[in-house]
Each structure stands twice: as C-alpha cells, then as structure tokens.
Amino acid sequence: MKVTSKNIIITVLAIILSISCYFLFKALYLLNVDFPYSQEILAALIGTLITIFITAILLNKQTEVELLKEENLKILELKASIYDELFKYLEEVFLKQELSNKDIIKLKLINQKLSTVASHDVLKIFGKFIDEFNEASLDKKILENDVDEILGILSELSNAIRYDLLEGKHVEKKSEKAAILKQILKNTEMLEKNKI
C-alpha cells in the first residue's frame, strides 16, 4: 500500500477525532452517573459510531482493492490480445509461405505493441525469435523447413508468454526497466535489418 499525503492526513484526523470523542464521551458518561439509562444509551451511541468508523475504513480499502483488481484485469486483457495478434500474424505468414513488405511492417508494429506490456523475458525471447525469423525469411519465403526452425524458439516464446499471463501485474525494478528498454531498442534494430 502506498503511503500518500492523503492517507497521512486522514490517519492524523482519525486519531485526533478518536481522542476528542473519547474525552467527550467519558465526560458525558461520568455526568450521567445518576441516570443509568442515559449511560446505556451513550454506550450504544459510542458503539454505533465506532462501527460506522470501522465500516467506512473497510469500504474505502475495499474500493482501492477493487480498482487495483480492475486495472490488473485490463492489463491482462491487453497483454492477451497483443499476444493473440502475434500468433495470428505468424499463422497467416506460415500458411501463405511468402513474406512481403506489409508483413514486415505488421511485425514491426506488433513488436512496438509488445514493448508496451510484455515482460522482460518475453521481449528477450522475442529478440531471439526475430533473429530466427530474419534468417529464415532471407529468400522472402517461409517454407516448412523454416517453420520447423522457427518453432523451436517459438516454443520458448510461448512459454514466456504463458508465464507472463499467469504471473499477473509485475512491477519492475529500475534496473529491469532499463534492461527492458535496451531489449526493445535491440529488437527494433534487428527488425530494421530485414529488408524485402
């Protein structure tokens, strides 16, 4: 949980309110020593206020958790759709067995989409995949032999994607962010080498 200035202010106000209420209710309780029913009503009021306060805190926390859960679900859906687009692209290229400039441009765009959500492992293995793909497509064709060679690295990529989707949201350290950026740039540079 992030400690923000809003959380600190709310906590300080809650502590001040609690202490003030304690002394106020203690004074009122002691003033009503001669009237036991008044003390019971005051005790019920104190219990009600404490219940309302605790419920408000719990509902606030539940809202934060719900928002985080919704955010994670949207990121997961985005990842899944980009990975699905990659595999549909590969299926299309493998089936038609020819490669055009449009196909390379589409792969470059998929690479950029991957760079927005994919984990470092996926980007690294995708870089190896690009090497294999570039080598196999030098003759502007993707034949069965080429597909077989590519499938080995594609299996590694599928495994990394699977792990990335199952892992959920992963917060990278600063060093990991730098490594991811370096890998994205390297993947893009390697794709530029494939001119058809």
Side-chain angles (χ1 to χ4, degrees):
M1 183 175 111
K2 291 194 314 187
V3 177
T4 62
S5 59
K6 180 183 172 186
N7 288 345
I8 293 171
I9 291 171
I10 289 173
T11 304
V12 169
L13 288 175
I15 291 170
I16 291 171
L17 182 65
S18 299
I19 292 170
S20 301
C21 286
Y22 170 76
F23 287 114
L24 174 69
F25 286 130
K26 183 176 180 184
L28 289 173
Y29 189 81
L30 293 175
L31 282 176
N32 291 316
V33 171
D34 297 333
F35 305 103
Y37 293 116
S38 298
Q39 286 183 330
E40 289 178 19
I41 292 172
L42 191 59
L45 181 63
I46 292 170
T48 302
L49 290 176
I50 290 172
T51 302
I52 290 171
F53 181 70
I54 291 173
T55 303
I57 291 172
L58 292 175
L59 285 175
N60 188 28
K61 189 65 182 166
Q62 182 181 2
T63 303
E64 285 180 31
V65 169
E66 292 284 331
L67 289 173
L68 183 62
K69 186 175 154 184
E70 195 173 306
E71 178 184 318
N72 287 341
L73 183 61
K74 286 183 180 183
I75 290 172
L76 184 65
E77 288 172 354
L78 179 62
K79 281 183 179 189
S81 70
I82 293 171
Y83 293 150
D84 187 50
E85 183 181 349
L86 172 64
F87 286 113
K88 284 181 180 175
Y89 163 80
L90 292 174
E91 178 183 4
E92 182 183 311
V93 169
F94 290 167
L95 291 177
K96 74 178 184 180
Q97 296 185 344
E98 289 184 19
L99 207 56
S100 66
N101 262 347
K102 287 182 181 180
D103 294 322
I104 296 301
I105 290 170
K106 191 171 182 178
L107 184 61
K108 289 177 182 179
L109 290 173
I110 290 172
N111 176 58
Q112 295 306 314
K113 288 179 183 179
L114 282 174
S115 68
T116 61
V117 293
S119 69
H120 183 248
D121 289 338
V122 171
L123 291 172
K124 197 158 53 171
I125 296 171
F126 187 67
K128 292 178 189 176
F129 166 78
I130 292 170
D131 279 341
E132 289 281 335
F133 190 81
N134 285 347
E135 194 175 311
S137 64
L138 286 175
D139 58 355
K140 299 180 187 175
K141 295 185 183 293
I142 303 285
L143 303 173
E144 280 187 46
N145 293 340
D146 298 327
V147 172
D148 291 340
E149 292 174 16
I150 293 173
L151 284 179
I153 193 72
L154 196 56
S155 296
E156 285 183 50
L157 182 61
S158 297
N159 188 45
I161 287 172
R162 178 181 177 275
Y163 180 75
D164 189 29
L165 288 174
L166 293 177
E167 183 180 33
K169 187 175 180 181
H170 173 70
V171 179
E172 292 92 6
K173 298 175 190 162
K174 199 170 192 173
S175 61
E176 288 177 324
K177 287 182 180 181
I180 288 173
L181 178 61
K182 184 177 177 183
Q183 189 63 47
I184 291 168
L185 295 174
K186 185 177 177 185
N187 291 353
T188 304
E189 184 181 311
M190 289 184 294
L191 279 168
E192 291 297 325
K193 292 179 185 177
N194 193 342
K195 302 288 184 194
I196 294 183

Coordinates of all heavy atoms in Angstrom, one line a residue, residues 2-77:
K2 N 0.6 2.2 -0.9 CA 1.3 3.4 -1.0 C 0.9 4.4 0.1 O -0.3 4.5 0.4 CB 1.1 4.1 -2.3 CG 1.8 3.4 -3.5 CD 1.9 4.2 -4.7 CE 0.6 4.9 -5.1 NZ 0.7 5.6 -6.4
V3 N 1.9 5.0 0.8 CA 1.6 6.0 1.8 C 1.6 7.3 1.1 O 2.6 7.8 0.6 CB 2.7 6.0 2.9 CG1 2.4 7.1 3.9 CG2 2.7 4.6 3.6
T4 N 0.4 7.9 1.0 CA 0.3 9.2 0.3 C 0.0 10.3 1.4 O -0.4 10.0 2.5 CB -0.8 9.2 -0.7 OG1 -2.1 8.9 -0.1 CG2 -0.5 8.2 -1.8
S5 N 0.1 11.5 1.0 CA -0.2 12.6 1.9 C -1.7 12.6 2.3 O -2.0 12.9 3.4 CB 0.1 14.0 1.3 OG -0.6 14.2 0.1
K6 N -2.6 12.1 1.4 CA -4.0 12.0 1.7 C -4.2 11.0 2.8 O -4.9 11.2 3.8 CB -4.8 11.6 0.4 CG -6.2 11.4 0.7 CD -6.9 10.9 -0.6 CE -8.4 10.6 -0.3 NZ -9.0 10.0 -1.5
N7 N -3.5 9.8 2.7 CA -3.6 8.8 3.7 C -3.1 9.3 5.1 O -3.7 9.0 6.1 CB -2.9 7.5 3.3 CG -3.6 6.8 2.2 OD1 -4.7 7.0 1.9 ND2 -2.8 5.9 1.6
I8 N -2.0 10.0 5.1 CA -1.4 10.5 6.3 C -2.4 11.5 7.0 O -2.6 11.5 8.2 CB -0.1 11.2 6.1 CG1 0.9 10.1 5.7 CG2 0.4 12.0 7.3 CD1 2.3 10.6 5.2
I9 N -3.0 12.4 6.2 CA -3.9 13.4 6.7 C -5.1 12.7 7.3 O -5.6 13.1 8.4 CB -4.3 14.4 5.6 CG1 -3.1 15.3 5.2 CG2 -5.5 15.3 6.0 CD1 -3.3 16.2 4.0
I10 N -5.7 11.8 6.6 CA -6.9 11.0 7.1 C -6.5 10.3 8.4 O -7.3 10.3 9.3 CB -7.4 10.0 6.0 CG1 -8.0 10.8 4.9 CG2 -8.4 9.1 6.6 CD1 -8.4 10.0 3.7
T11 N -5.4 9.7 8.5 CA -5.0 9.0 9.7 C -4.8 9.9 10.9 O -5.3 9.7 12.0 CB -3.6 8.2 9.4 OG1 -3.8 7.4 8.3 CG2 -3.2 7.4 10.6
V12 N -4.2 11.1 10.6 CA -4.0 12.1 11.7 C -5.4 12.6 12.2 O -5.6 12.7 13.4 CB -3.1 13.2 11.2 CG1 -3.1 14.4 12.2 CG2 -1.7 12.7 11.0
L13 N -6.2 12.9 11.2 CA -7.6 13.4 11.6 C -8.4 12.3 12.4 O -9.1 12.7 13.3 CB -8.3 13.8 10.3 CG -7.9 15.1 9.7 CD1 -8.6 15.4 8.4 CD2 -8.0 16.3 10.6
A14 N -8.2 11.1 11.9 CA -8.9 10.0 12.6 C -8.4 9.8 14.1 O -9.2 9.6 15.0 CB -8.7 8.7 11.9
I15 N -7.1 10.0 14.3 CA -6.5 9.9 15.6 C -7.0 11.1 16.5 O -7.5 10.9 17.6 CB -5.0 9.9 15.6 CG1 -4.5 8.5 15.0 CG2 -4.4 10.1 16.9 CD1 -3.1 8.5 14.6
I16 N -7.0 12.3 15.9 CA -7.5 13.4 16.7 C -9.0 13.3 17.0 O -9.4 13.6 18.1 CB -7.2 14.7 15.9 CG1 -5.7 15.0 15.8 CG2 -8.0 15.9 16.5 CD1 -5.3 16.1 14.8
L17 N -9.8 12.9 16.0 CA -11.2 12.7 16.3 C -11.4 11.6 17.3 O -12.3 11.8 18.2 CB -11.9 12.3 15.0 CG -13.4 12.1 15.0 CD1 -14.1 13.4 15.4 CD2 -13.9 11.5 13.7
S18 N -10.7 10.5 17.3 CA -10.8 9.4 18.3 C -10.5 9.9 19.7 O -11.3 9.6 20.6 CB -9.9 8.3 17.9 OG -10.3 7.7 16.7
I19 N -9.5 10.6 19.8 CA -9.1 11.1 21.2 C -10.1 12.1 21.7 O -10.5 12.0 22.8 CB -7.6 11.7 21.1 CG1 -6.6 10.6 20.8 CG2 -7.3 12.5 22.4 CD1 -5.2 11.1 20.6
S20 N -10.5 13.0 20.8 CA -11.5 14.0 21.2 C -12.8 13.3 21.6 O -13.4 13.7 22.6 CB -11.8 15.0 20.0 OG -10.7 15.7 19.7
C21 N -13.3 12.4 20.8 CA -14.5 11.6 21.1 C -14.4 10.9 22.4 O -15.3 10.8 23.2 CB -14.9 10.7 20.0 SG -15.5 11.5 18.5
Y22 N -13.2 10.3 22.7 CA -13.0 9.6 23.9 C -13.2 10.5 25.1 O -14.0 10.1 26.0 CB -11.6 9.0 23.9 CG -11.3 8.4 25.3 CD1 -11.8 7.2 25.7 CD2 -10.4 9.1 26.2 CE1 -11.5 6.7 27.0 CE2 -10.1 8.6 27.4 CZ -10.6 7.4 27.8 OH -10.4 6.9 29.0
F23 N -12.6 11.6 25.1 CA -12.7 12.5 26.3 C -14.1 13.1 26.4 O -14.7 13.3 27.4 CB -11.7 13.6 26.2 CG -10.3 13.2 26.5 CD1 -9.3 13.2 25.6 CD2 -10.0 12.7 27.8 CE1 -8.0 12.7 25.9 CE2 -8.7 12.3 28.1 CZ -7.7 12.3 27.2
L24 N -14.8 13.4 25.2 CA -16.1 13.9 25.2 C -17.1 12.9 25.8 O -17.9 13.2 26.7 CB -16.6 14.3 23.8 CG -18.0 14.7 23.7 CD1 -18.2 16.1 24.3 CD2 -18.4 14.8 22.2
F25 N -17.0 11.6 25.3 CA -17.9 10.6 25.8 C -17.6 10.2 27.2 O -18.5 9.9 28.0 CB -17.8 9.3 24.9 CG -18.5 9.5 23.6 CD1 -17.9 9.2 22.4 CD2 -19.8 10.0 23.5 CE1 -18.6 9.4 21.2 CE2 -20.5 10.2 22.3 CZ -19.9 9.9 21.1
K26 N -16.4 10.3 27.6 CA -16.0 10.0 29.0 C -16.7 11.0 30.0 O -17.2 10.7 31.0 CB -14.5 10.0 29.2 CG -14.1 9.6 30.6 CD -12.6 9.5 30.7 CE -12.2 9.1 32.2 NZ -10.8 9.1 32.4
A27 N -16.6 12.3 29.5 CA -17.2 13.4 30.3 C -18.7 13.2 30.4 O -19.3 13.3 31.5 CB -16.8 14.7 29.8
L28 N -19.3 12.9 29.2 CA -20.8 12.7 29.2 C -21.2 11.5 30.0 O -22.2 11.5 30.7 CB -21.3 12.6 27.8 CG -21.2 13.8 26.9 CD1 -21.6 13.5 25.5 CD2 -22.2 14.9 27.5
Y29 N -20.4 10.5 30.0 CA -20.7 9.2 30.7 C -20.6 9.5 32.2 O -21.5 9.0 33.0 CB -19.7 8.1 30.3 CG -20.1 6.8 30.8 CD1 -21.0 6.0 30.1 CD2 -19.5 6.2 31.9 CE1 -21.4 4.7 30.6 CE2 -19.8 5.0 32.4 CZ -20.8 4.2 31.7 OH -21.1 3.0 32.2
L30 N -19.6 10.2 32.6 CA -19.5 10.5 34.1 C -20.5 11.5 34.6 O -20.9 11.4 35.7 CB -18.1 11.0 34.4 CG -16.9 10.0 34.2 CD1 -15.6 10.6 34.4 CD2 -17.1 8.8 35.1
L31 N -21.0 12.3 33.7 CA -22.1 13.3 34.1 C -23.4 12.5 34.3 O -24.2 13.0 35.1 CB -22.3 14.3 33.0 CG -21.2 15.5 32.9 CD1 -21.5 16.4 31.7 CD2 -21.3 16.3 34.2
N32 N -23.6 11.4 33.7 CA -24.8 10.7 33.7 C -24.7 9.5 34.7 O -25.5 8.5 34.6 CB -25.2 10.2 32.4 CG -25.6 11.3 31.4 OD1 -26.3 12.2 31.8 ND2 -25.1 11.2 30.2
V33 N -23.9 9.6 35.8 CA -23.8 8.5 36.7 C -25.1 8.3 37.4 O -25.5 7.2 37.7 CB -22.7 8.9 37.7 CG1 -22.7 7.9 38.9 CG2 -21.3 8.9 37.0
D34 N -25.9 9.4 37.7 CA -27.2 9.2 38.4 C -28.3 8.7 37.5 O -29.3 8.3 38.0 CB -27.6 10.6 38.9 CG -26.6 11.1 39.9 OD1 -26.0 10.3 40.6 OD2 -26.5 12.4 40.1
F35 N -28.1 8.7 36.2 CA -29.1 8.2 35.2 C -28.5 7.0 34.4 O -27.9 7.2 33.4 CB -29.5 9.3 34.3 CG -29.9 10.5 35.0 CD1 -29.1 11.7 35.0 CD2 -31.2 10.6 35.6 CE1 -29.5 12.8 35.7 CE2 -31.6 11.8 36.2 CZ -30.8 12.9 36.3
P36 N -28.7 5.7 34.9 CA -28.1 4.6 34.3 C -28.6 4.4 32.8 O -27.9 3.9 32.0 CB -28.5 3.4 35.1 CG -29.5 3.9 36.1 CD -29.4 5.4 36.1
Y37 N -29.9 4.7 32.6 CA -30.3 4.6 31.2 C -29.6 5.5 30.2 O -29.3 5.1 29.1 CB -31.9 4.8 31.1 CG -32.7 3.8 31.9 CD1 -33.4 4.1 33.0 CD2 -32.6 2.4 31.5 CE1 -34.2 3.2 33.7 CE2 -33.4 1.5 32.2 CZ -34.1 1.9 33.3 OH -34.8 0.9 33.9
S38 N -29.3 6.7 30.7 CA -28.5 7.6 29.8 C -27.2 7.0 29.5 O -26.6 7.2 28.4 CB -28.4 8.9 30.5 OG -29.6 9.5 30.8
Q39 N -26.5 6.4 30.5 CA -25.2 5.7 30.3 C -25.3 4.6 29.2 O -24.5 4.5 28.4 CB -24.7 5.2 31.6 CG -24.2 6.2 32.5 CD -23.5 5.6 33.8 OE1 -23.9 4.6 34.2 NE2 -22.6 6.4 34.3
E40 N -26.4 3.8 29.3 CA -26.6 2.8 28.3 C -26.8 3.3 26.9 O -26.3 2.8 25.9 CB -27.7 1.8 28.7 CG -27.4 1.0 30.0 CD -28.6 0.2 30.4 OE1 -29.5 -0.1 29.6 OE2 -28.5 -0.3 31.6
I41 N -27.6 4.4 26.8 CA -27.8 5.0 25.5 C -26.5 5.6 25.0 O -26.2 5.4 23.8 CB -28.9 6.1 25.6 CG1 -30.3 5.4 25.9 CG2 -29.0 6.9 24.4 CD1 -31.4 6.4 26.2
L42 N -25.8 6.2 25.8 CA -24.5 6.8 25.4 C -23.5 5.6 25.0 O -22.8 5.8 24.0 CB -23.9 7.6 26.6 CG -22.7 8.4 26.3 CD1 -23.0 9.4 25.2 CD2 -22.2 9.1 27.5
A43 N -23.5 4.5 25.7 CA -22.6 3.4 25.3 C -23.1 2.8 24.0 O -22.2 2.5 23.1 CB -22.7 2.3 26.4
A44 N -24.4 2.7 23.7 CA -24.9 2.3 22.4 C -24.5 3.2 21.3 O -24.1 2.8 20.2 CB -26.4 2.1 22.5
L45 N -24.6 4.5 21.6 CA -24.2 5.5 20.6 C -22.7 5.4 20.3 O -22.3 5.5 19.1 CB -24.5 6.9 21.2 CG -24.1 8.1 20.3 CD1 -24.9 8.0 19.0 CD2 -24.4 9.4 21.0
I46 N -21.9 5.2 21.3 CA -20.4 5.1 21.1 C -20.1 3.9 20.2 O -19.4 3.9 19.3 CB -19.7 5.0 22.5 CG1 -19.7 6.3 23.2 CG2 -18.2 4.6 22.2 CD1 -19.2 6.2 24.6
G47 N -20.8 2.7 20.6 CA -20.6 1.5 19.8 C -21.0 1.7 18.3 O -20.4 1.3 17.4
T48 N -22.1 2.4 18.1 CA -22.6 2.7 16.7 C -21.6 3.6 16.0 O -21.3 3.3 14.8 CB -24.0 3.4 16.8 OG1 -24.9 2.6 17.5 CG2 -24.5 3.7 15.4
L49 N -21.1 4.6 16.6 CA -20.1 5.5 15.9 C -18.8 4.7 15.6 O -18.2 4.9 14.5 CB -19.8 6.7 16.8 CG -20.9 7.7 17.0 CD1 -20.6 8.8 17.9 CD2 -21.3 8.3 15.6
I50 N -18.4 3.9 16.5 CA -17.2 3.1 16.2 C -17.4 2.1 15.1 O -16.6 2.0 14.2 CB -16.7 2.3 17.5 CG1 -16.2 3.3 18.5 CG2 -15.7 1.3 17.2 CD1 -15.9 2.7 19.9
T51 N -18.6 1.5 15.0 CA -18.9 0.6 13.9 C -19.0 1.3 12.6 O -18.5 0.9 11.6 CB -20.3 -0.1 14.2 OG1 -20.3 -0.7 15.4 CG2 -20.7 -1.0 13.1
I52 N -19.6 2.5 12.6 CA -19.6 3.3 11.4 C -18.2 3.7 10.9 O -17.9 3.6 9.7 CB -20.5 4.6 11.6 CG1 -21.9 4.2 11.7 CG2 -20.3 5.6 10.5 CD1 -22.8 5.4 12.2
F53 N -17.4 4.1 11.9 CA -16.0 4.5 11.5 C -15.2 3.3 10.9 O -14.6 3.4 9.9 CB -15.3 5.0 12.8 CG -13.9 5.5 12.6 CD1 -13.6 6.6 11.8 CD2 -12.8 4.7 13.1 CE1 -12.3 7.0 11.6 CE2 -11.5 5.2 12.9 CZ -11.3 6.3 12.2
I54 N -15.3 2.1 11.5 CA -14.6 1.0 11.1 C -15.1 0.5 9.7 O -14.4 0.2 8.8 CB -14.7 -0.2 12.1 CG1 -13.8 0.2 13.3 CG2 -14.2 -1.5 11.5 CD1 -14.0 -0.8 14.5
T55 N -16.5 0.6 9.5 CA -17.1 0.2 8.2 C -16.6 1.2 7.1 O -16.3 0.7 6.0 CB -18.6 0.3 8.3 OG1 -19.0 -0.6 9.4 CG2 -19.3 -0.2 7.0
A56 N -16.5 2.5 7.4 CA -16.0 3.4 6.4 C -14.6 3.1 6.0 O -14.3 3.2 4.8 CB -16.2 4.8 7.0
I57 N -13.8 2.8 7.0 CA -12.4 2.5 6.6 C -12.3 1.2 5.8 O -11.6 1.2 4.8 CB -11.5 2.3 7.9 CG1 -11.4 3.6 8.7 CG2 -10.2 1.7 7.6 CD1 -10.7 3.5 10.0
L58 N -13.1 0.2 6.1 CA -13.1 -1.0 5.4 C -13.6 -0.8 4.0 O -13.1 -1.4 3.0 CB -13.9 -2.1 6.1 CG -13.2 -2.6 7.4 CD1 -14.2 -3.6 8.1 CD2 -11.9 -3.3 7.1
L59 N -14.7 -0.1 3.8 CA -15.2 0.2 2.5 C -14.2 1.0 1.6 O -14.1 0.7 0.4 CB -16.5 1.0 2.6 CG -17.8 0.2 3.1 CD1 -19.0 1.1 3.2 CD2 -18.1 -1.0 2.1
N60 N -13.5 1.9 2.2 CA -12.5 2.7 1.5 C -11.4 1.8 1.0 O -11.0 1.8 -0.2 CB -11.9 3.8 2.4 CG -11.0 4.7 1.6 OD1 -11.2 4.9 0.4 ND2 -10.1 5.3 2.3
K61 N -11.0 0.9 1.8 CA -9.9 -0.1 1.4 C -10.4 -1.0 0.4 O -9.7 -1.4 -0.6 CB -9.4 -0.9 2.7 CG -8.2 -1.7 2.4 CD -7.0 -0.8 2.1 CE -5.8 -1.7 1.8 NZ -4.8 -0.9 1.1
Q62 N -11.7 -1.5 0.5 CA -12.3 -2.4 -0.5 C -12.3 -1.7 -1.8 O -12.1 -2.3 -2.9 CB -13.6 -2.8 0.0 CG -14.3 -3.8 -1.0 CD -15.7 -4.3 -0.5 OE1 -16.2 -3.8 0.5 NE2 -16.3 -5.1 -1.3
T63 N -12.7 -0.4 -1.9 CA -12.7 0.3 -3.1 C -11.4 0.4 -3.8 O -11.2 0.1 -5.0 CB -13.3 1.7 -2.9 OG1 -14.5 1.7 -2.3 CG2 -13.4 2.5 -4.2
E64 N -10.3 0.6 -3.0 CA -9.0 0.6 -3.6 C -8.6 -0.7 -4.2 O -8.0 -0.8 -5.2 CB -7.9 1.0 -2.5 CG -7.9 2.4 -2.1 CD -6.9 2.7 -1.0 OE1 -5.9 1.9 -0.9 OE2 -7.1 3.6 -0.2
V65 N -8.9 -1.8 -3.4 CA -8.6 -3.2 -3.9 C -9.4 -3.5 -5.2 O -8.8 -4.0 -6.1 CB -8.9 -4.2 -2.8 CG1 -8.9 -5.6 -3.3 CG2 -8.0 -4.0 -1.6
E66 N -10.7 -3.1 -5.3 CA -11.5 -3.3 -6.4 C -10.9 -2.6 -7.7 O -10.8 -3.1 -8.8 CB -12.9 -2.8 -6.2 CG -13.7 -3.7 -5.2 CD -14.1 -5.0 -5.8 OE1 -14.4 -5.1 -7.0 OE2 -14.3 -5.9 -5.0
L67 N -10.4 -1.3 -7.5 CA -9.9 -0.5 -8.6 C -8.6 -1.2 -9.0 O -8.3 -1.3 -10.3 CB -9.6 0.9 -8.1 CG -10.9 1.8 -7.9 CD1 -10.5 3.1 -7.3 CD2 -11.6 1.9 -9.2
L68 N -7.7 -1.6 -8.1 CA -6.5 -2.3 -8.5 C -6.8 -3.6 -9.2 O -6.1 -3.9 -10.2 CB -5.7 -2.6 -7.2 CG -4.3 -3.2 -7.5 CD1 -3.4 -2.3 -8.3 CD2 -3.6 -3.5 -6.1
K69 N -7.7 -4.3 -8.8 CA -8.1 -5.6 -9.4 C -8.6 -5.3 -10.9 O -8.2 -6.0 -11.8 CB -9.2 -6.3 -8.6 CG -9.6 -7.6 -9.1 CD -10.6 -8.2 -8.1 CE -11.6 -9.2 -8.7 NZ -12.6 -9.6 -7.7
E70 N -9.4 -4.3 -11.0 CA -9.9 -3.9 -12.4 C -8.8 -3.5 -13.3 O -8.8 -3.9 -14.5 CB -10.9 -2.8 -12.2 CG -11.8 -2.5 -13.4 CD -12.9 -1.5 -13.1 OE1 -13.7 -1.7 -12.2 OE2 -13.0 -0.6 -13.9
E71 N -7.8 -2.7 -12.8 CA -6.7 -2.3 -13.5 C -5.9 -3.5 -14.0 O -5.4 -3.6 -15.1 CB -5.8 -1.4 -12.7 CG -4.6 -0.9 -13.4 CD -3.7 0.0 -12.4 OE1 -4.3 0.8 -11.7 OE2 -2.5 -0.2 -12.4
N72 N -5.6 -4.4 -13.1 CA -4.9 -5.6 -13.4 C -5.6 -6.5 -14.5 O -4.9 -7.0 -15.4 CB -4.6 -6.5 -12.2 CG -3.6 -5.9 -11.2 OD1 -2.8 -5.0 -11.6 ND2 -3.6 -6.3 -10.0
L73 N -6.9 -6.5 -14.4 CA -7.6 -7.3 -15.4 C -7.5 -6.7 -16.8 O -7.4 -7.4 -17.8 CB -9.1 -7.4 -14.9 CG -10.0 -8.2 -15.8 CD1 -9.5 -9.7 -15.9 CD2 -11.5 -8.2 -15.3
K74 N -7.6 -5.3 -16.8 CA -7.5 -4.6 -18.1 C -6.1 -4.9 -18.7 O -6.0 -5.1 -19.9 CB -7.8 -3.2 -18.0 CG -9.3 -2.9 -17.8 CD -9.6 -1.4 -17.7 CE -11.1 -1.2 -17.5 NZ -11.4 0.2 -17.5
I75 N -5.1 -4.8 -17.9 CA -3.7 -5.0 -18.4 C -3.6 -6.4 -18.9 O -3.0 -6.7 -20.0 CB -2.7 -4.7 -17.3 CG1 -2.6 -3.2 -17.1 CG2 -1.3 -5.2 -17.7 CD1 -1.8 -2.8 -15.9
L76 N -4.1 -7.4 -18.2 CA -4.1 -8.8 -18.6 C -4.8 -9.0 -19.9 O -4.3 -9.7 -20.8 CB -4.7 -9.7 -17.5 CG -4.6 -11.2 -17.8 CD1 -3.1 -11.7 -17.8 CD2 -5.4 -11.9 -16.7
E77 N -5.9 -8.4 -20.1 CA -6.7 -8.5 -21.3 C -5.9 -7.9 -22.5 O -5.9 -8.4 -23.6 CB -8.0 -7.8 -21.2 CG -9.0 -8.6 -20.4 CD -10.3 -7.8 -20.1 OE1 -10.4 -6.6 -20.5 OE2 -11.2 -8.4 -19.5

